[in-house]
mmCIF file of all heavy atoms in Angstrom:
data_model
loop_
_atom_site.group_PDB
_atom_site.id
_atom_site.type_symbol
_atom_site.label_atom_id
_atom_site.label_comp_id
_atom_site.label_asym_id
_atom_site.label_seq_id
_atom_site.Cartn_x
_atom_site.Cartn_y
_atom_site.Cartn_z
ATOM 1 N N ALA Z 273 -3.581 30.357 -10.780
ATOM 2 C CA ALA Z 273 -3.391 29.595 -12.033
ATOM 3 C C ALA Z 273 -2.601 30.343 -13.064
ATOM 4 O O ALA Z 273 -2.500 31.559 -12.991
ATOM 5 C CB ALA Z 273 -4.705 29.115 -12.544
ATOM 6 N N ASN Z 274 -2.047 29.558 -14.064
ATOM 7 C CA ASN Z 274 -1.444 30.283 -15.154
ATOM 8 C C ASN Z 274 -2.557 30.822 -16.110
ATOM 9 O O ASN Z 274 -3.686 30.682 -15.854
ATOM 10 C CB ASN Z 274 -0.536 29.329 -15.956
ATOM 11 C CG ASN Z 274 -1.287 28.107 -16.400
ATOM 12 O OD1 ASN Z 274 -2.552 28.072 -16.426
ATOM 13 N ND2 ASN Z 274 -0.543 27.105 -16.859
ATOM 14 N N THR Z 275 -2.092 31.500 -17.206
ATOM 15 C CA THR Z 275 -3.095 32.209 -18.063
ATOM 16 C C THR Z 275 -4.022 31.184 -18.719
ATOM 17 O O THR Z 275 -5.137 31.487 -19.070
ATOM 18 C CB THR Z 275 -2.396 33.001 -19.099
ATOM 19 O OG1 THR Z 275 -1.452 32.163 -19.803
ATOM 20 C CG2 THR Z 275 -1.555 34.177 -18.434
ATOM 21 N N GLN Z 276 -3.514 29.969 -19.006
ATOM 22 C CA GLN Z 276 -4.357 28.916 -19.581
ATOM 23 C C GLN Z 276 -5.276 28.222 -18.541
ATOM 24 O O GLN Z 276 -6.057 27.423 -18.968
ATOM 25 C CB GLN Z 276 -3.425 27.834 -20.233
ATOM 26 C CG GLN Z 276 -2.636 28.342 -21.427
ATOM 27 C CD GLN Z 276 -1.359 29.061 -20.938
ATOM 28 O OE1 GLN Z 276 -0.914 28.800 -19.834
ATOM 29 N NE2 GLN Z 276 -0.815 29.936 -21.763
ATOM 30 N N LYS Z 277 -5.140 28.528 -17.258
ATOM 31 C CA LYS Z 277 -5.922 27.929 -16.225
ATOM 32 C C LYS Z 277 -5.771 26.369 -16.138
ATOM 33 O O LYS Z 277 -6.629 25.721 -15.714
ATOM 34 C CB LYS Z 277 -7.440 28.274 -16.404
ATOM 35 C CG LYS Z 277 -7.709 29.714 -16.569
ATOM 36 C CD LYS Z 277 -7.365 30.519 -15.353
ATOM 37 C CE LYS Z 277 -7.812 31.976 -15.522
ATOM 38 N NZ LYS Z 277 -7.368 32.814 -14.325
ATOM 39 N N THR Z 278 -4.576 25.927 -16.530
ATOM 40 C CA THR Z 278 -4.292 24.485 -16.509
ATOM 41 C C THR Z 278 -3.410 24.016 -15.441
ATOM 42 O O THR Z 278 -3.357 22.834 -15.168
ATOM 43 C CB THR Z 278 -3.662 24.089 -17.889
ATOM 44 O OG1 THR Z 278 -2.438 24.854 -18.055
ATOM 45 C CG2 THR Z 278 -4.596 24.336 -19.033
ATOM 46 N N ALA Z 279 -2.643 24.978 -14.842
ATOM 47 C CA ALA Z 279 -1.710 24.596 -13.789
ATOM 48 C C ALA Z 279 -1.459 25.715 -12.835
ATOM 49 O O ALA Z 279 -1.859 26.833 -13.090
ATOM 50 C CB ALA Z 279 -0.309 24.156 -14.433
ATOM 51 N N ILE Z 280 -0.905 25.386 -11.632
ATOM 52 C CA ILE Z 280 -0.622 26.431 -10.647
ATOM 53 C C ILE Z 280 0.641 27.141 -11.003
ATOM 54 O O ILE Z 280 1.636 26.486 -11.280
ATOM 55 C CB ILE Z 280 -0.550 25.765 -9.233
ATOM 56 C CG1 ILE Z 280 -1.761 25.016 -8.929
ATOM 57 C CG2 ILE Z 280 -0.197 26.839 -8.207
ATOM 58 C CD1 ILE Z 280 -1.600 24.135 -7.705
ATOM 59 N N GLU Z 281 0.593 28.503 -10.994
ATOM 60 C CA GLU Z 281 1.762 29.262 -11.349
ATOM 61 C C GLU Z 281 2.457 29.831 -10.160
ATOM 62 O O GLU Z 281 3.672 29.943 -10.097
ATOM 63 C CB GLU Z 281 1.327 30.417 -12.321
ATOM 64 C CG GLU Z 281 2.533 31.239 -12.852
ATOM 65 C CD GLU Z 281 2.029 32.248 -13.818
ATOM 66 O OE1 GLU Z 281 1.343 33.222 -13.432
ATOM 67 O OE2 GLU Z 281 2.282 32.017 -15.082
ATOM 68 N N SER Z 282 1.680 30.202 -9.094
ATOM 69 C CA SER Z 282 2.198 30.723 -7.910
ATOM 70 C C SER Z 282 1.241 30.463 -6.754
ATOM 71 O O SER Z 282 0.059 30.139 -6.962
ATOM 72 C CB SER Z 282 2.448 32.212 -8.034
ATOM 73 O OG SER Z 282 1.254 32.974 -8.256
ATOM 74 N N VAL Z 283 1.698 30.628 -5.543
ATOM 75 C CA VAL Z 283 0.802 30.526 -4.353
ATOM 76 C C VAL Z 283 1.063 31.565 -3.397
ATOM 77 O O VAL Z 283 2.123 32.151 -3.295
ATOM 78 C CB VAL Z 283 1.055 29.078 -3.649
ATOM 79 C CG1 VAL Z 283 0.865 27.920 -4.643
ATOM 80 C CG2 VAL Z 283 2.534 29.026 -3.070
ATOM 81 N N ASP Z 284 0.016 31.811 -2.642
ATOM 82 C CA ASP Z 284 0.141 32.784 -1.485
ATOM 83 C C ASP Z 284 0.348 31.939 -0.280
ATOM 84 O O ASP Z 284 -0.408 30.971 -0.039
ATOM 85 C CB ASP Z 284 -1.154 33.609 -1.348
ATOM 86 C CG ASP Z 284 -1.297 34.664 -2.369
ATOM 87 O OD1 ASP Z 284 -0.408 34.879 -3.136
ATOM 88 O OD2 ASP Z 284 -2.421 35.201 -2.443
ATOM 89 N N ILE Z 285 1.418 32.217 0.482
ATOM 90 C CA ILE Z 285 1.662 31.502 1.699
ATOM 91 C C ILE Z 285 1.583 32.544 2.788
ATOM 92 O O ILE Z 285 1.924 33.678 2.662
ATOM 93 C CB ILE Z 285 3.053 30.808 1.689
ATOM 94 C CG1 ILE Z 285 4.182 31.806 1.486
ATOM 95 C CG2 ILE Z 285 3.120 29.678 0.674
ATOM 96 C CD1 ILE Z 285 5.551 31.186 1.661
ATOM 97 N N VAL Z 286 1.158 32.037 4.014
ATOM 98 C CA VAL Z 286 1.040 32.921 5.169
ATOM 99 C C VAL Z 286 2.007 32.395 6.207
ATOM 100 O O VAL Z 286 1.976 31.207 6.579
ATOM 101 C CB VAL Z 286 -0.336 32.978 5.674
ATOM 102 C CG1 VAL Z 286 -0.955 31.685 6.022
ATOM 103 C CG2 VAL Z 286 -0.446 33.913 6.898
ATOM 104 N N GLN Z 287 2.892 33.263 6.699
ATOM 105 C CA GLN Z 287 3.903 32.890 7.720
ATOM 106 C C GLN Z 287 3.832 33.889 8.858
ATOM 107 O O GLN Z 287 4.019 35.071 8.681
ATOM 108 C CB GLN Z 287 5.306 32.889 7.111
ATOM 109 C CG GLN Z 287 6.417 32.465 8.159
ATOM 110 C CD GLN Z 287 7.792 32.530 7.510
ATOM 111 O OE1 GLN Z 287 8.137 33.362 6.749
ATOM 112 N NE2 GLN Z 287 8.616 31.515 7.897
ATOM 113 N N ASN Z 288 3.419 33.317 10.024
ATOM 114 C CA ASN Z 288 3.280 34.154 11.195
ATOM 115 C C ASN Z 288 2.391 35.403 10.913
ATOM 116 O O ASN Z 288 2.655 36.525 11.328
ATOM 117 C CB ASN Z 288 4.627 34.531 11.708
ATOM 118 C CG ASN Z 288 5.488 33.437 12.198
ATOM 119 O OD1 ASN Z 288 5.020 32.530 12.807
ATOM 120 N ND2 ASN Z 288 6.744 33.574 11.877
ATOM 121 N N GLY Z 289 1.280 35.173 10.134
ATOM 122 C CA GLY Z 289 0.324 36.196 9.823
ATOM 123 C C GLY Z 289 0.692 37.071 8.676
ATOM 124 O O GLY Z 289 -0.130 37.921 8.258
ATOM 125 N N GLU Z 290 1.854 36.970 8.128
ATOM 126 C CA GLU Z 290 2.239 37.707 6.970
ATOM 127 C C GLU Z 290 2.168 36.888 5.675
ATOM 128 O O GLU Z 290 2.562 35.744 5.605
ATOM 129 C CB GLU Z 290 3.710 38.232 7.132
ATOM 130 C CG GLU Z 290 3.932 39.198 8.306
ATOM 131 C CD GLU Z 290 5.322 39.764 8.338
ATOM 132 O OE1 GLU Z 290 6.041 39.553 7.355
ATOM 133 O OE2 GLU Z 290 5.634 40.458 9.296
ATOM 134 N N ILE Z 291 1.634 37.546 4.686
ATOM 135 C CA ILE Z 291 1.314 36.863 3.384
ATOM 136 C C ILE Z 291 2.411 37.218 2.350
ATOM 137 O O ILE Z 291 2.766 38.344 2.193
ATOM 138 C CB ILE Z 291 -0.076 37.181 2.831
ATOM 139 C CG1 ILE Z 291 -1.114 36.724 3.805
ATOM 140 C CG2 ILE Z 291 -0.242 36.600 1.457
ATOM 141 C CD1 ILE Z 291 -2.517 37.190 3.410
ATOM 142 N N GLN Z 292 2.914 36.234 1.696
ATOM 143 C CA GLN Z 292 3.827 36.470 0.541
ATOM 144 C C GLN Z 292 3.478 35.512 -0.598
ATOM 145 O O GLN Z 292 2.920 34.507 -0.402
ATOM 146 C CB GLN Z 292 5.248 36.342 0.900
ATOM 147 C CG GLN Z 292 5.692 34.919 1.433
ATOM 148 C CD GLN Z 292 7.115 34.830 1.731
ATOM 149 O OE1 GLN Z 292 8.008 35.093 0.866
ATOM 150 N NE2 GLN Z 292 7.477 34.437 2.971
ATOM 151 N N THR Z 293 3.841 35.895 -1.849
ATOM 152 C CA THR Z 293 3.556 35.146 -3.020
ATOM 153 C C THR Z 293 4.865 34.512 -3.511
ATOM 154 O O THR Z 293 5.831 35.297 -3.655
ATOM 155 C CB THR Z 293 2.906 36.024 -4.116
ATOM 156 O OG1 THR Z 293 1.676 36.483 -3.590
ATOM 157 C CG2 THR Z 293 2.547 35.044 -5.314
ATOM 158 N N ILE Z 294 4.855 33.263 -3.791
ATOM 159 C CA ILE Z 294 6.035 32.640 -4.362
ATOM 160 C C ILE Z 294 5.627 31.862 -5.578
ATOM 161 O O ILE Z 294 4.558 31.280 -5.690
ATOM 162 C CB ILE Z 294 6.739 31.717 -3.353
ATOM 163 C CG1 ILE Z 294 5.799 30.520 -2.922
ATOM 164 C CG2 ILE Z 294 7.252 32.508 -2.143
ATOM 165 C CD1 ILE Z 294 6.552 29.531 -2.030
ATOM 166 N N THR Z 295 6.528 31.791 -6.539
ATOM 167 C CA THR Z 295 6.302 31.056 -7.772
ATOM 168 C C THR Z 295 7.043 29.699 -7.730
ATOM 169 O O THR Z 295 8.010 29.527 -7.018
ATOM 170 C CB THR Z 295 6.773 31.775 -9.034
ATOM 171 O OG1 THR Z 295 8.221 32.072 -8.879
ATOM 172 C CG2 THR Z 295 6.058 33.131 -9.153
ATOM 173 N N MET Z 296 6.506 28.709 -8.448
ATOM 174 C CA MET Z 296 7.116 27.394 -8.454
ATOM 175 C C MET Z 296 6.557 26.576 -9.683
ATOM 176 O O MET Z 296 5.593 27.102 -10.340
ATOM 177 C CB MET Z 296 6.953 26.606 -7.207
ATOM 178 C CG MET Z 296 5.565 26.117 -6.759
ATOM 179 S SD MET Z 296 4.201 27.151 -6.886
ATOM 180 C CE MET Z 296 3.368 26.233 -8.192
ATOM 181 N N ASP Z 297 7.230 25.539 -9.997
ATOM 182 C CA ASP Z 297 6.728 24.710 -11.191
ATOM 183 C C ASP Z 297 5.789 23.610 -10.687
ATOM 184 O O ASP Z 297 4.895 23.276 -11.401
ATOM 185 C CB ASP Z 297 7.933 24.124 -11.887
ATOM 186 C CG ASP Z 297 8.905 25.179 -12.484
ATOM 187 O OD1 ASP Z 297 8.383 26.026 -13.223
ATOM 188 O OD2 ASP Z 297 10.112 25.076 -12.180
ATOM 189 N N ASP Z 298 6.064 23.085 -9.510
ATOM 190 C CA ASP Z 298 5.222 22.006 -9.002
ATOM 191 C C ASP Z 298 5.088 22.082 -7.465
ATOM 192 O O ASP Z 298 5.917 22.684 -6.852
ATOM 193 C CB ASP Z 298 5.922 20.617 -9.323
ATOM 194 C CG ASP Z 298 5.832 20.200 -10.744
ATOM 195 O OD1 ASP Z 298 6.754 20.611 -11.491
ATOM 196 O OD2 ASP Z 298 4.789 19.559 -11.187
ATOM 197 N N ILE Z 299 4.010 21.491 -6.947
ATOM 198 C CA ILE Z 299 3.766 21.436 -5.540
ATOM 199 C C ILE Z 299 3.544 20.020 -5.058
ATOM 200 O O ILE Z 299 2.798 19.279 -5.770
ATOM 201 C CB ILE Z 299 2.484 22.248 -5.124
ATOM 202 C CG1 ILE Z 299 2.618 23.742 -5.572
ATOM 203 C CG2 ILE Z 299 2.250 22.197 -3.652
ATOM 204 C CD1 ILE Z 299 1.356 24.530 -5.324
ATOM 205 N N LEU Z 300 4.198 19.656 -4.024
ATOM 206 C CA LEU Z 300 4.081 18.336 -3.440
ATOM 207 C C LEU Z 300 3.509 18.516 -2.055
ATOM 208 O O LEU Z 300 4.093 19.103 -1.249
ATOM 209 C CB LEU Z 300 5.382 17.525 -3.364
ATOM 210 C CG LEU Z 300 5.410 16.205 -2.670
ATOM 211 C CD1 LEU Z 300 4.487 15.199 -3.359
ATOM 212 C CD2 LEU Z 300 6.819 15.693 -2.535
ATOM 213 N N ILE Z 301 2.323 17.891 -1.845
ATOM 214 C CA ILE Z 301 1.634 18.010 -0.527
ATOM 215 C C ILE Z 301 1.890 16.649 0.207
ATOM 216 O O ILE Z 301 1.462 15.576 -0.241
ATOM 217 C CB ILE Z 301 0.150 18.200 -0.714
ATOM 218 C CG1 ILE Z 301 -0.131 19.456 -1.522
ATOM 219 C CG2 ILE Z 301 -0.595 18.311 0.610
ATOM 220 C CD1 ILE Z 301 0.338 20.739 -0.985
ATOM 221 N N CYS Z 302 2.478 16.742 1.403
ATOM 222 C CA CYS Z 302 2.753 15.588 2.291
ATOM 223 C C CYS Z 302 2.173 15.876 3.633
ATOM 224 O O CYS Z 302 2.924 16.135 4.610
ATOM 225 C CB CYS Z 302 4.277 15.319 2.374
ATOM 226 S SG CYS Z 302 5.009 14.818 0.798
ATOM 227 N N HIS Z 303 0.858 15.884 3.734
ATOM 228 C CA HIS Z 303 0.178 16.155 4.983
ATOM 229 C C HIS Z 303 -0.268 14.885 5.739
ATOM 230 O O HIS Z 303 -1.096 15.011 6.684
ATOM 231 C CB HIS Z 303 -1.022 17.071 4.657
ATOM 232 C CG HIS Z 303 -0.562 18.456 4.304
ATOM 233 N ND1 HIS Z 303 -1.487 19.393 3.860
ATOM 234 C CD2 HIS Z 303 0.653 19.026 4.170
ATOM 235 C CE1 HIS Z 303 -0.850 20.564 3.512
ATOM 236 N NE2 HIS Z 303 0.430 20.322 3.680
ATOM 237 N N GLY Z 304 0.159 13.765 5.279
ATOM 238 C CA GLY Z 304 -0.157 12.540 5.936
ATOM 239 C C GLY Z 304 -1.386 11.884 5.196
ATOM 240 O O GLY Z 304 -1.734 12.230 4.093
ATOM 241 N N TYR Z 305 -1.865 10.828 5.857
ATOM 242 C CA TYR Z 305 -2.907 10.025 5.251
ATOM 243 C C TYR Z 305 -4.023 9.775 6.293
ATOM 244 O O TYR Z 305 -3.787 9.675 7.463
ATOM 245 C CB TYR Z 305 -2.411 8.654 4.812
ATOM 246 C CG TYR Z 305 -1.497 8.729 3.601
ATOM 247 C CD1 TYR Z 305 -0.133 9.124 3.785
ATOM 248 C CD2 TYR Z 305 -1.912 8.521 2.356
ATOM 249 C CE1 TYR Z 305 0.749 9.188 2.714
ATOM 250 C CE2 TYR Z 305 -1.099 8.580 1.299
ATOM 251 C CZ TYR Z 305 0.279 8.940 1.456
ATOM 252 O OH TYR Z 305 1.128 9.029 0.376
ATOM 253 N N ASN Z 306 -5.268 9.788 5.679
ATOM 254 C CA ASN Z 306 -6.480 9.353 6.547
ATOM 255 C C ASN Z 306 -6.532 7.842 6.431
ATOM 256 O O ASN Z 306 -6.408 7.316 5.320
ATOM 257 C CB ASN Z 306 -7.713 9.999 6.004
ATOM 258 C CG ASN Z 306 -7.743 11.467 6.333
ATOM 259 O OD1 ASN Z 306 -7.439 11.861 7.483
ATOM 260 N ND2 ASN Z 306 -8.177 12.248 5.403
ATOM 261 N N ARG Z 307 -6.774 7.237 7.503
ATOM 262 C CA ARG Z 307 -6.928 5.782 7.552
ATOM 263 C C ARG Z 307 -8.386 5.387 7.899
ATOM 264 O O ARG Z 307 -8.962 5.921 8.806
ATOM 265 C CB ARG Z 307 -6.040 5.156 8.637
ATOM 266 C CG ARG Z 307 -6.017 3.618 8.600
ATOM 267 C CD ARG Z 307 -5.226 3.029 9.707
ATOM 268 N NE ARG Z 307 -6.009 3.021 10.973
ATOM 269 C CZ ARG Z 307 -5.741 2.234 12.013
ATOM 270 N NH1 ARG Z 307 -4.705 1.381 11.904
ATOM 271 N NH2 ARG Z 307 -6.451 2.278 13.071
ATOM 272 N N GLU Z 308 -8.940 4.514 7.007
ATOM 273 C CA GLU Z 308 -10.327 4.113 7.191
ATOM 274 C C GLU Z 308 -10.353 2.622 7.455
ATOM 275 O O GLU Z 308 -9.857 1.856 6.580
ATOM 276 C CB GLU Z 308 -11.169 4.462 6.019
ATOM 277 C CG GLU Z 308 -12.584 4.034 6.128
ATOM 278 C CD GLU Z 308 -13.434 4.264 4.887
ATOM 279 O OE1 GLU Z 308 -12.885 4.975 3.961
ATOM 280 O OE2 GLU Z 308 -14.528 3.773 4.823
ATOM 281 N N VAL Z 309 -10.894 2.117 8.559
ATOM 282 C CA VAL Z 309 -11.009 0.703 8.805
ATOM 283 C C VAL Z 309 -12.547 0.513 9.050
ATOM 284 O O VAL Z 309 -13.008 0.311 10.108
ATOM 285 C CB VAL Z 309 -10.227 0.274 10.033
ATOM 286 C CG1 VAL Z 309 -10.269 -1.254 10.216
ATOM 287 C CG2 VAL Z 309 -8.776 0.769 9.916
ATOM 288 N N SER Z 310 -13.242 0.520 7.866
ATOM 289 C CA SER Z 310 -14.714 0.478 7.933
ATOM 290 C C SER Z 310 -15.312 -0.882 7.727
ATOM 291 O O SER Z 310 -16.525 -1.070 7.639
ATOM 292 C CB SER Z 310 -15.256 1.441 6.944
ATOM 293 O OG SER Z 310 -14.845 1.156 5.619
ATOM 294 N N LEU Z 311 -14.528 -1.952 7.565
ATOM 295 C CA LEU Z 311 -14.969 -3.272 7.355
ATOM 296 C C LEU Z 311 -15.809 -3.728 8.558
ATOM 297 O O LEU Z 311 -15.369 -3.762 9.695
ATOM 298 C CB LEU Z 311 -13.829 -4.205 7.138
ATOM 299 C CG LEU Z 311 -14.062 -5.658 6.914
ATOM 300 C CD1 LEU Z 311 -14.936 -5.812 5.694
ATOM 301 C CD2 LEU Z 311 -12.741 -6.397 6.708
ATOM 302 N N GLU Z 312 -17.044 -4.219 8.263
ATOM 303 C CA GLU Z 312 -17.925 -4.644 9.370
ATOM 304 C C GLU Z 312 -18.317 -6.071 9.119
ATOM 305 O O GLU Z 312 -18.307 -6.603 8.037
ATOM 306 C CB GLU Z 312 -19.141 -3.719 9.459
ATOM 307 C CG GLU Z 312 -18.832 -2.237 9.747
ATOM 308 C CD GLU Z 312 -20.039 -1.424 9.833
ATOM 309 O OE1 GLU Z 312 -21.187 -1.898 9.625
ATOM 310 O OE2 GLU Z 312 -19.892 -0.193 10.099
ATOM 311 N N PHE Z 313 -18.814 -6.695 10.185
ATOM 312 C CA PHE Z 313 -19.157 -8.113 10.198
ATOM 313 C C PHE Z 313 -20.544 -8.273 10.780
ATOM 314 O O PHE Z 313 -20.990 -7.535 11.628
ATOM 315 C CB PHE Z 313 -18.161 -8.970 11.035
ATOM 316 C CG PHE Z 313 -16.727 -8.892 10.467
ATOM 317 C CD1 PHE Z 313 -15.871 -7.793 10.831
ATOM 318 C CD2 PHE Z 313 -16.219 -9.853 9.628
ATOM 319 C CE1 PHE Z 313 -14.547 -7.763 10.300
ATOM 320 C CE2 PHE Z 313 -14.921 -9.792 9.163
ATOM 321 C CZ PHE Z 313 -14.121 -8.771 9.524
#
Side-chain angles (χ1 to χ4, degrees):
N274 58 14
T275 54
Q276 295 81 24
K277 306 297 182 183
T278 57
I280 302 167
E281 185 175 70
S282 63
V283 299
D284 288 349
I285 59 173
V286 56
Q287 182 181 37
N288 297 320
E290 295 186 6
I291 298 174
Q292 61 175 305
T293 301
I294 61 174
T295 60
M296 69 315 112
D297 298 305
D298 288 90
I299 302 175
L300 174 62
I301 304 297
C302 296
H303 293 173
Y305 290 83
N306 287 317
R307 188 185 79 158
E308 179 185 349
V309 187
S310 57
L311 180 59
E312 297 181 0
F313 298 84

